[in-house]
């Protein structure tokens, strides 16, 4: 099934200060392992690189000199695990490497269901942790209802595009997004169907948002923090809800977090709710997500929004590109089909 | 029933900058009014002075040169309102004055139920808006459960003492409070039954709280904001809940709000929830509050925690004293019995 004899894995040699550099990463090469009883060896096909990986590069995160980790999809090449057979597709969290040893039932390892007409990349984007984050932020944290007006920041990113797709299916009213380039803004109001969008470089975020949402919003999915959060607090209606997913604006400055919103006390005056969302708490909703989305992926109503970088050796490039916002939709590394 | 012929009402002559001063207040004197059809005239017995009154003194709040407002309890002296009879006790929101004209069913006007053995002051403290705030913050916002560990700031104040009383009835685990004087701290761990308490002047709030809550907390009722909120975020356990009621630390500086907590993003990392509480949304829970508390007020298990300033002419003094934290429990002005 595979001719690869060498397994490669990215490691971190030293911790970054600010934006990481390529020289911090090394590739460790070992022979492809044989499976121990109860495990299977997987050759990875797609790797996910995510904003939270940047945080894990700081003190207290990943260990130096060991393979990095991330969501991945691979194909079983050898198995001594009950229920896993050569050729099976497996989702697991041992990414940033060409081969992984997985144990069914541990660390979220699961076989990927085969849905006719659904591309593999969907399982690491709108059907993966990214899509699940969007889904539970909307349905659990925000208790989002048809007709409600929603703002999402970093709207052209993995979570942002998934939020937009799912919010539309749930009957969203006005959908407003922010992004970091004019091209992305055009895609938001174009193929992604946003009612309004703005480039956050074009002025104070609060003013841009107030203009895009002149009648206010009911709910906000925050991928950014900082000024975006402050702006959202200011346009949220009474009893508005914020699902806080990420704060990409501050991942490079964990030791000097930004002054948080100056209008934070408006949370009381407007009876707002701000709640953090960690997708690891919501694994139970995976089947629900697939039940909602798979028919629409099959019909073509929804496409997985992905930017794919080809080649394992370009994993770090893809990661940097994601940090710089070069992707639209989820950033993936493709190793093989 | 009354021999008063003159009604007096406090007005604001100009808006304060920072801590207000006595010369900003004037007393307007008019003849005691006669009731119009559908209204009743009430002679006030107790007035409530509250932290939020300070906010209403800023631009956009109370109008200058008109009587101020606040919760009050009075006795009907003349009535042309169906259902109100001379001698009835009435709760209303036209305080800061000796006499008020009330319309049943409007602006929260309601007759005060007569419970044997329950002092009148309870209806403006633990059975009033202060107690209702504490009750809904615990039962609605925090979904507080027996055995949970709770921190409350400004714990010796009106809301703080009510939170402590009610949390104990709900089976609180470890109860931790902060206050602003050693005497108050002693009362917290003494008659109010806190497990730990600290004077927030004794060092960085985060450090004092971490020492008082070495195993963390499940829930926090925030009356203060700023450093207290930051400290609470830092000791809250995963999935912890914050009911944000007030921010007395910033009421004198509305135009220069403090930099919000530097650790705000931990709301995501720990899946915390921060929600603002406005008691006006929860009037429907008043009967529930009374059903819970009245038997314990009658048995003496709970006493209304109040500091009472005697005399209408001392209303402003009482208000300033409350702002300076001179009260333990709810600060009330007593005009008559």
């Amino acid at each position: 099934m595979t001719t690869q004899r060498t397994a490669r894995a990215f490691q971190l040699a030293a911790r970054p200060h600010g934006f990481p550099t390529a020289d911090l990463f090394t590739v460790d090469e070992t022979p492809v392992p044989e499976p121990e009883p109860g495990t299977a060896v997987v050759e990875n096909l797609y790797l996910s690189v995510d904003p939270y990986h940047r945080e894990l590069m700081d003190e207290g995160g990943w260990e130096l000199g060991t393979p990095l980790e991330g969501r991945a999809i691979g194909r079983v090449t050898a198995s001594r695990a009950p229920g896993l057979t050569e050729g099976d597709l497996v989702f697991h969290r041992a990414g940033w490497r060409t081969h992984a040893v997985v144990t069914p039932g541990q660390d979220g390892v699961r076989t990927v269901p085969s849905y006719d007409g659904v591309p593999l990349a969907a399982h690491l984007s709108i059907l993966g942790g990214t899509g699940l984050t969007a889904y539970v932020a909307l349905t659990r944290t925000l208790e989002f209802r048809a007709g409600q007006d929603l703002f999402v920041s970093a709207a052209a990113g993995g979570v942002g595009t998934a939020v937009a797709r799912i919010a539309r299916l749930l009957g969203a009213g006005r959908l407003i997004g922010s992004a970091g380039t004019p091209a992305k803004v055009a895609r938001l109001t174009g193929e992604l169907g946003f009612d309004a969008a703005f480039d956050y470089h074009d002025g104070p975020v609060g003013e841009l948002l107030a203009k895009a949402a002149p009648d206010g919003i009911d709910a906000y999915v925050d991928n950014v923090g900082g000024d975006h959060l402050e702006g959202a607090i200011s346009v949220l209606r009474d009893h508005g809800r914020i699902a806080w997913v990420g704060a990409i604006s501050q991942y490079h400055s964990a030791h000097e977090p930004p002054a948080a919103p100056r209008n934070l006390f408006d949370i009381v005056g407007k009876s707002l709710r701000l709640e953090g969302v960690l997708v690891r708490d919501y694994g139970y909703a995976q089947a629900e997500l697939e039940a909602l989305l798979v028919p629409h992926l099959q019909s073509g109503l929804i496409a997985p929004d992905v930017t794919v970088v080809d080649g394992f050796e370009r994993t770090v490039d893809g990661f940097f590109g994601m940090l710089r916002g070069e992707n639209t939709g989820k950033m993936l590394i493709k190793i093989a089909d």
Side-chain angles (χ1 to χ4, degrees), chain A:
Chain A
M1 184 144 247
T2 173
T3 58
Q4 296 289 330
R5 297 290 177 86
T6 302
R8 291 174 289 162
F10 279 98
Q11 301 187 349
L12 198 62
R15 303 200 183 278
H17 301 282
F19 201 98
T21 48
D23 61 302
L24 300 174
F25 297 85
T26 56
V27 174
D28 182 57
E29 301 203 346
T30 56
V32 172
E34 295 296 322
E36 300 288 324
T39 73
V41 173
V42 159
E43 185 178 345
N44 286 329
L45 306 178
Y46 282 91
L47 307 179
S48 172
V49 286
D50 291 274
Y52 75 86
H53 291 172
R54 173 61 189 85
E55 283 195 291
L56 290 173
M57 293 176 184
D58 286 331
E59 203 68 48
W62 283 326
E63 281 184 50
L64 298 180
T66 61
L68 304 186
E69 292 173 3
R71 300 187 190 104
I73 286 181
R75 187 179 284 120
V76 175
T77 56
S79 176
R80 295 180 69 186
L84 281 189
T85 309
E86 204 175 303
D88 281 354
L89 290 175
V90 173
F91 172 97
H92 62 89
R93 297 210 169 92
W96 289 80
R97 65 192 90 175
T98 56
H99 297 73
V101 178
V102 301
T103 306
Q106 282 188 13
D107 302 324
V109 169
R110 56 183 170 84
T111 55
V112 172
S114 176
Y115 298 115
D116 286 347
V118 175
L120 206 52
H123 294 283
L124 276 188
S125 55
I126 199 162
L127 294 181
T130 304
L132 188 60
T133 299
Y135 180 71
V136 300
L138 286 165
T139 59
R140 267 53 175 193
T141 313
L142 299 178
E143 302 177 90
F144 191 72
R145 296 282 176 269
Q148 292 188 330
D149 300 323
L150 177 75
F151 171 50
V152 55
S153 55
V159 171
T161 53
V163 163
R165 301 289 191 185
I166 296 168
R168 274 286 177 251
L169 291 180
L170 298 175
R174 191 172 168 81
L175 197 53
I176 299 149
S178 69
T181 70
K184 285 183 182 179
V185 168
R187 285 189 73 169
L188 292 181
T189 53
E191 68 183 278
L192 282 156
F194 279 76
D195 297 292
F198 61 87
D199 181 337
Y200 63 81
H201 298 101
D202 283 350
V205 172
E207 291 176 21
L208 297 167
L209 176 57
K211 200 174 154 193
D215 300 320
I217 56 173
D218 299 298
Y220 172 44
V221 178
D222 190 4
N223 289 302
V224 174
D227 287 350
H228 273 80
L229 179 55
E230 179 168 315
I233 287 173
S234 128
V235 302
L236 273 161
R237 298 180 186 131
D238 286 358
H239 301 284
R241 299 292 186 245
I242 304 168
W244 202 358
V245 169
I248 199 167
S249 70
Q250 71 178 72
Y251 287 153
H252 304 297
S253 56
H255 299 293
E256 288 175 46
R262 287 156 292 180
N263 60 352
L264 196 69
F265 186 54
D266 287 350
I267 284 180
V268 181
K270 298 208 262 184
S271 298
L272 306 181
R273 178 191 287 175
L274 169 65
E275 184 167 356
V277 183
L278 289 183
V279 68
R280 68 179 180 217
D281 295 328
Y282 296 97
Y284 68 87
Q286 178 68 33
E288 213 178 291
L289 174 73
E290 295 183 14
L292 174 70
L293 291 180
V294 166
H296 300 302
L297 284 161
Q298 290 175 321
S299 77
L301 177 70
I302 292 180
D305 301 290
V306 293
T307 298
V308 177
V309 169
D310 259 304
F312 175 74
E313 64 285 356
R314 296 184 59 210
T315 301
V316 169
D317 293 340
F319 174 65
F320 289 176
M322 183 277 303
L323 289 181
R324 284 191 296 260
E326 290 168 6
N327 52 309
T328 300
K330 184 76 191 76
M331 179 68 100
L332 297 179
I333 313 300
K334 181 178 175 181
I335 305 181
D337 273 318

